[in-house]
Amino acid sequence: MNSLNYQKIFRGLTAIGILIVILLPHMVIELTIELLHMIWELTVEAGHIIFEWVEISLDTVIELMFETDLHNTQIIVFYIIMTAIGFGVYRLSLFVPGILRRIRDKTVAFYLGQKNYLSLYWKSLTLTHKLKWGALAIGLGYWYLFIFF
């Protein structure tokens, strides 16, 4: 098949996808939430399995190296894991404020840029175009209330 056929197939699938989103928004939202929930569950389960593997490995190494009983081995492994978690949280606490500051600055800059753009665009519109935008906003609000409530 040539690229023209692929473009037709892509455009047809895109049109079908847009139609589904317009006609069945509640189904799209529900499927998206279910997919995100499944990804979350798999991530938590994988994290739990990795943690258990690390804990059992540390138990075996500590027990063989120091020849301790079960209780002492569990205490040593607990403090090793808590030290590793504490170090990770400390490193994260050094790293996160800079990221949050950058996100805040970029968000404020984006907001101000969009506000300026929309203000200039609104001022350049004629009265009929402003009325059309107002009617469109009211119509979309009504459609939203009709579909979701």
Side-chain angles (χ1 to χ4, degrees):
M1 290 201 307
N2 61 16
S3 64
L4 186 61
N5 289 337
Y6 287 127
Q7 287 178 355
K8 288 180 182 178
I9 291 171
F10 178 75
R11 287 181 182 154
L13 290 174
T14 303
I16 290 171
I18 290 171
L19 243 132
I20 288 172
V21 168
I22 290 172
L23 295 176
L24 302 169
H26 59 285
M27 293 296 290
V28 173
I29 292 170
E30 183 178 338
L31 287 173
T32 304
I33 289 172
E34 285 295 323
L35 179 67
L36 291 173
H37 179 73
M38 184 180 70
I39 291 171
W40 172 254
E41 280 186 353
L42 291 174
T43 304
V44 168
E45 187 66 29
H48 178 77
I49 290 171
I50 290 169
F51 176 79
E52 288 293 329
W53 180 76
V54 167
E55 185 182 14
I56 290 171
S57 300
L58 279 173
D59 276 343
T60 305
V61 169
I62 297 298
E63 196 169 333
L64 291 176
M65 281 180 63
F66 298 117
E67 299 177 6
T68 58
D69 62 341
L70 179 64
H71 180 69
N72 290 337
T73 302
Q74 288 177 343
I75 290 174
I76 293 169
V77 168
F78 171 77
Y79 282 115
I80 289 172
I81 290 174
M82 289 308 293
T83 303
I85 290 173
F87 181 72
V89 168
Y90 169 72
R91 295 292 295 178
L92 196 62
S93 71
L94 294 177
F95 187 63
V96 168
I99 291 175
L100 292 177
R101 193 175 313 111
R102 270 185 252 128
I103 289 172
R104 184 197 65 207
D105 292 344
K106 287 185 179 192
T107 303
V108 168
F110 178 76
Y111 169 74
L112 291 176
Q114 289 299 313
K115 182 179 167 186
N116 187 27
Y117 170 75
L118 289 174
S119 174
L120 290 174
Y121 177 71
W122 184 257
K123 288 178 183 177
S124 70
L125 290 177
T126 62
L127 180 61
T128 53
H129 283 96
K130 288 181 182 179
L131 291 174
K132 286 179 186 178
W133 275 110
L136 180 67
I138 291 170
L140 285 175
Y142 176 73
W143 177 77
Y144 176 78
L145 290 174
F146 180 73
I147 294 292
F148 292 108
F149 293 107

